[in-house]
């Protein structure tokens, strides 16, 4: 994926690091990054936080927020990105959370609704996606959009 190559190249040139926190993408974002030769110079690692307990324990996501809104919301994506950035001491962090499909849940009824967030020490940005593909297509597009968010929104 060209977006992953671009991120690795630019962060490497700047001596900056990256971490990820993934829910609905289940490690796909980390895989795309580590598929790029030289990624070890910038990618510190990631947390696949599918379960609420992992989101709260490792990433510091507010348990009351998860109970009230579920995992598919901007606030959770933001807290995931901020949490993994601090946990792994990275310059930048990306997070993905949402409903990739095909089924709906009471707290996450909108299939294709995914939130991506990018955090740096200075700012955190979040974007809502409304995707219409199948599960794998939605996951891949969420990863692509997260990498673009780092390039366009978080790094400026």
């Amino acid at each position: 994926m060209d977006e992953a190559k671009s991120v690795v190249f630019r962060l490497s040139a700047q001596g900056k690091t990256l971490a990820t926190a993934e829910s609905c993408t289940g490690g796909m974002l980390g895989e795309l990054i580590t598929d790029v030769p030289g990624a070890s110079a910038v990618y510190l690692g990631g947390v696949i936080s599918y379960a609420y307990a992992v989101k709260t324990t490792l990433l510091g996501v507010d348990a009351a927020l998860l109970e009230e809104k579920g995992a598919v919301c901007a606030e959770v994506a933001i807290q995931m990105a901020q949490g993994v950035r601090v946990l792994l001491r990275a310059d930048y962090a990306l997070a993905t959370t949402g409903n990739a499909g095909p089924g709906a849940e009471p707290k996450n009824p909108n299939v294709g609704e995914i939130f991506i967030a990018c955090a740096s020490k200075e700012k955190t940005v979040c974007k809502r996606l409304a995707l219409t593909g199948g599960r794998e297509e939605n996951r891949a597009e969420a990863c692509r959009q997260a990498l673009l968010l780092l390039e366009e929104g978080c790094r400026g």
Side-chain angles (χ1 to χ4, degrees):
M1 181 176 279
D2 289 343
E3 292 83 5
K5 290 177 185 174
S6 176
V7 163
V8 169
F9 176 78
R10 289 185 185 179
L11 292 179
S12 181
Q14 296 173 352
K16 300 293 185 182
T17 57
L18 175 64
T20 57
E22 300 182 66
S23 187
C24 63
T25 52
M28 183 183 283
L29 182 57
E31 179 183 11
L32 290 169
I33 294 164
T34 57
D35 277 349
V36 178
S40 60
V42 301
Y43 186 61
L44 300 178
V47 174
I48 300 172
S49 56
Y50 221 62
Y52 283 12
V54 176
K55 287 177 178 66
T56 58
T57 305
L58 288 180
L59 302 177
V61 175
D62 182 11
L65 172 64
L66 288 168
E67 185 61 34
E68 178 188 342
K69 291 190 171 185
V72 185
C73 66
E75 296 93 331
V76 169
I78 288 167
Q79 289 182 18
M80 287 173 62
Q82 292 170 338
V84 79
R85 190 192 69 74
V86 171
L87 178 69
L88 297 184
R89 299 179 181 166
D91 296 303
Y92 299 100
L94 294 172
T96 61
T97 186
N99 183 344
E105 300 173 8
K107 287 186 182 175
N108 307 318
N110 301 320
V111 172
E113 181 177 39
I114 297 175
F115 290 86
I116 55 174
C118 180
S120 69
K121 186 176 181 181
E122 294 78 27
K123 67 179 177 178
T124 303
V125 293
C126 183
K127 183 177 180 180
R128 179 187 177 271
L129 306 175
L131 305 176
T132 59
R135 182 175 181 79
E136 287 307 306
E137 294 156 324
N138 288 345
R139 292 173 67 225
E141 183 61 15
C143 292
R144 190 177 82 76
Q145 291 292 326
L147 291 164
L148 289 171
L149 186 64
L150 172 60
E151 289 292 288
E152 298 167 2
C154 200
R155 291 187 46 233

